[in-house]
C-alpha cells in the first residue's frame, strides 16, 4: 500500500501499475482527503497532457428506434422517454451539425447512430459523410460510434478517413447481463479489438451510477486498462423517465470525482473524458474535475441537453486550462445550482430539428 496519494502518483509516474487494493483505497477515501486525491491525480494529468483540454462534439446521426434493451438508455427498445426519434440525417445536415461544434472549438467530432450495429450500407453512408467532413475540415478528428462492428467494417471506416471508433464497455463483465440482454459483453470487447486491428484509435469507457459495486467498477476500469484504449469517456447515469433506471440517483459530486481519479491513476497517460451527466452529478465540482480529466463533450448529448457551450469554454479558461483548438463563444443559459439532483432536460434542438444546436 501507499502512504499518501502523492506517493501513489509518484509510483505511477515511475511506471507503476495500480493494484486492486490501491483502487479500493481511492474509492473508499473520505471527503477530507478529496483535495489531496485530486491534487495527486492532477500531477499525472499534467505530466501527460499539460494544461490542455480536448473538446469533443457529438452529432446524433440517427436517434431512437433501437432494438437493444440496455436499461440505462433513453433510445432502448420499449423506452417511454420522450426523446427525438429520426432516421439517418442527410449528409449536408450532418456536416452542418459538425461545423457548429468545430466553430465552438471542438477538435474531434463524434458521429453516433443508434442501433445494435451498422449494415454495410450504413457504413458506406457514414463513409460518405466523413469524406465530405474531412474535405471541409481536414484538421478535425472524426470518431464513429455505430455499435457492434462486423468483419471488414472497421477497415472501411478507416479507409474513409475515420480516425477513432467508440464502443463503451459501460460496466464490468459480471454486471453486464443486468443492464443488457440483447448482446453480450464479449461483443463489445470484440468490437474494440476490431477497431484497434483496423488502425482506428480505440475509445471505450464507462457508465457509472447504475448500481454497480466498487469491485465491479474496479473490474471495468481494469478491463479498459487491459484493452489499452486511447481514450476513456466516463458517463454518469442520467436516469431518464421511461427507462428501467429512472429515479436511480446513487452518485454524489465527491464520489464522481473519486471515480475519475481512479481512472486517471489506473491509466495515467490515457485521454480521460468527463462525459454525459457531468453537469447534474459533478455539478459545482466540474472545474475541479478538469484537474483530473483532460477532455469533455461540448454542448448537448445524444438525447439530452448539456451545459451551454459558452459556459463550458468559460469554465475551462477560468480553471487555467486551454482548449486544443480555437474556441468561439456561444450564448449561455442559466445553470441549476441549487444542489439538488438536476431534472434531465430532453434535447429538442440541433440534429433532427430545425433549431440551432447548443454549440
Amino acid at each position: 500500500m501507499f502512504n499518501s496519494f502523492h506517493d501513489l502518483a509518484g509510483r505511477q509516474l515511475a511506471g507503476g501499475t495500480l493494484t486492486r487494493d490501491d483502487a479500493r483505497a481511492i474509492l473508499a477515501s473520505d471527503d477530507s482527503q478529496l483535495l489531496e486525491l485530486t491534487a495527486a491525480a492532477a500531477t499525472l494529468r499534467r505530466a501527460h497532457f499539460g494544461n490542455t483540454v480536448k473538446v469533443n462534439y457529438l452529432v446524433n446521426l440517427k436517434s431512437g428506434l433501437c432494438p437493444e434493451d440496455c436499461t440505462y438508455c433513453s433510445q432502448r427498445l420499449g423506452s417511454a422517454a420522450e426523446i427525438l426519434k429520426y432516421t439517418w440525417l442527410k449528409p449536408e445536415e450532418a456536416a452542418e451539425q459538425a461545423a457548429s461544434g468545430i466553430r465552438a472549438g471542438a477538435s474531434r467530432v463524434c458521429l453516433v447512430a443508434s442501433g445494435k450495429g451498422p449494415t454495410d450500407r450504413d457504413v458506406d453512408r457514414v463513409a460518405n459523410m466523413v469524406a465530405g467532413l474531412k474535405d471541409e475540415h481536414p484538421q478535425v478528428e472524426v470518431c464513429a460510434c455505430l455499435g457492434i462492428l462486423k468483419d471488414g467494417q472497421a477497415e472501411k471506416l478507416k479507409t474513409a478517413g475515420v480516425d477513432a471508433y467508440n464502443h463503451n464497455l459501460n460496466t464490468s463483465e459480471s454486471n453486464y447481463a443486468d443492464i443488457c440482454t440483447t448482446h453480450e459483453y464479449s461483443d463489445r470487447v470484440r468490437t474494440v479489438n476490431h477497431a484497434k486491428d483496423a488502425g482506428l484509435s480505440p475509445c471505450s469507457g464507462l457508465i457509472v451510477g447504475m448500481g454497480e459495486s466498487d469491485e465491479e467498477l474496479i473490474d471495468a476500469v481494469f478491463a479498459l486498462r487491459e484493452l489499452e484504449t486511447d481514450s476513456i469517456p466516463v458517463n454518469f447515469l442520467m436516469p431518464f423517465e421511461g427507462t428501467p433506471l429512472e429515479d436511480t440517483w446513487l452518485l454524489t459530486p465527491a464520489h464522481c470525482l473519486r471515480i475519475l481519479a481512479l481512472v486517471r491513476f489506473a491509466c495515467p497517460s490515457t485521454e480521460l473524458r468527463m462525459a454525459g451527466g457531468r453537469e447534474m452529478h459533478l455539478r459545482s465540482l466540474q472545474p475541479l474535475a478538469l484537474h483530473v480529466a483532460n477532455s469533455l463533450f461540448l454542448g448537448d448529448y445524444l438525447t439530452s441537453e448539456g451545459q451551454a457551450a459558452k459556459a463550458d469554454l468559460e469554465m475551462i479558461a477560468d480553471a487555467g486550462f486551454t482548449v486544443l483548438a480555437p474556441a468561439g463563444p456561444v450564448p449561455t443559459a442559466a445553470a441549476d445550482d441549487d444542489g439538488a439532483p438536476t431534472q434531465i432536460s430532453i434535447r429538442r434542438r440541433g440534429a433532427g430539428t430545425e433549431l440551432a444546436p447548443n454549440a
Side-chain angles (χ1 to χ4, degrees), residues 10-348:
R11 194 180 77 193
Q12 298 304 94
L13 286 171
T17 300
L18 195 76
T19 68
R20 290 194 77 90
D21 283 343
D22 298 334
R24 292 184 186 109
I26 290 170
L27 293 178
S29 59
D30 60 37
D31 289 349
S32 68
Q33 298 173 289
L34 194 61
L35 286 180
E36 178 197 344
L37 174 63
T38 302
T43 63
L44 300 175
R45 181 240 196 271
R46 287 188 177 271
H48 295 285
F49 301 100
N51 71 331
T52 61
V53 174
K54 186 170 185 176
V55 171
N56 306 261
Y57 188 71
L58 287 166
V59 178
N60 199 5
L61 300 178
K62 182 165 71 82
S63 183
L65 312 172
C66 184
E68 300 290 276
D69 69 354
C70 305
T71 57
Y72 54 82
C73 187
S74 61
Q75 305 182 76
R76 72 188 297 272
L77 178 68
S79 170
E82 296 180 0
I83 62 168
L84 291 169
K85 297 177 183 179
Y86 52 85
T87 56
W88 290 92
L89 294 181
K90 295 177 181 178
E92 58 270 23
E93 293 174 323
E96 181 181 348
Q97 294 294 319
S100 298
I102 294 167
R103 286 193 297 269
S107 57
R108 174 177 283 192
V109 172
C110 304
L111 303 178
V112 187
S114 62
K116 184 169 187 174
T119 65
D120 289 340
R121 181 182 178 186
D122 293 336
V123 170
D124 291 339
R125 188 197 312 264
V126 173
N128 290 333
M129 292 179 181
V130 172
L133 185 56
K134 286 284 192 173
D135 284 344
E136 291 290 323
H137 308 280
Q139 79 285 5
V140 171
E141 297 176 359
V142 176
C143 179
C145 178
L146 311 175
I148 296 168
L149 295 175
K150 303 180 185 71
D151 290 345
Q153 291 182 330
E155 288 77 9
K156 284 186 180 180
L157 292 170
K158 176 66 176 178
T159 300
V162 173
D163 301 289
Y165 196 82
N166 166 260
H167 199 57
N168 294 332
L169 296 187
N170 289 329
T171 191
S172 67
E173 184 172 13
S174 62
N175 193 43
Y176 203 80
D178 290 337
I179 67 164
C180 183
T181 66
T182 47
H183 64 264
E184 297 180 352
Y185 178 88
S186 59
D187 294 320
R188 290 187 170 266
V189 174
R190 189 180 308 112
T191 288
V192 176
N193 284 323
H194 277 327
K196 288 174 64 176
D197 293 344
L200 295 170
S201 175
C203 172
S204 187
L206 305 167
I207 303 173
V208 298
M210 296 190 292
E212 67 280 350
S213 67
D214 282 357
E215 293 301 315
E216 288 167 338
L217 176 57
I218 293 168
D219 285 343
V221 172
F222 282 15
L224 290 169
R225 180 175 68 182
E226 189 173 329
L227 273 178
E228 298 182 329
T229 57
D230 291 335
S231 56
I232 298 176
V234 175
N235 297 278
F236 308 95
L237 177 69
M238 290 186 275
F240 285 91
E241 290 186 16
T243 65
L245 293 179
E246 67 179 4
D247 295 325
T248 302
W249 297 95
L250 302 174
L251 298 170
T252 66
H255 198 60
C256 291
L257 198 53
R258 291 185 194 97
I259 291 169
L260 290 173
L262 167 61
V263 179
R264 173 58 70 209
F265 274 98
C267 307
S269 61
T270 300
E271 178 189 338
L272 172 55
R273 189 176 312 132
M274 51 179 187
R278 62 179 167 89
E279 298 88 347
M280 67 177 60
H281 290 295
L282 278 162
R283 301 201 290 273
S284 62
L285 294 192
Q286 286 185 83
L288 192 58
L290 283 175
H291 291 271
V292 181
N294 65 293
S295 179
L296 54 70
F297 282 115
L298 189 75
D300 292 336
Y301 302 104
L302 298 177
T303 62
S304 65
E305 291 184 5
Q307 187 164 281
K310 181 182 178 183
D312 279 338
L313 297 172
E314 289 175 345
M315 176 180 72
I316 291 168
D318 289 349
F321 296 100
T322 59
V323 174
L324 280 176
V330 188
T332 187
D336 181 356
D337 58 359
D338 63 4
T342 305
Q343 179 69 35
I344 296 171
S345 297
I346 299 292
R347 183 176 70 77
R348 303 195 187 281

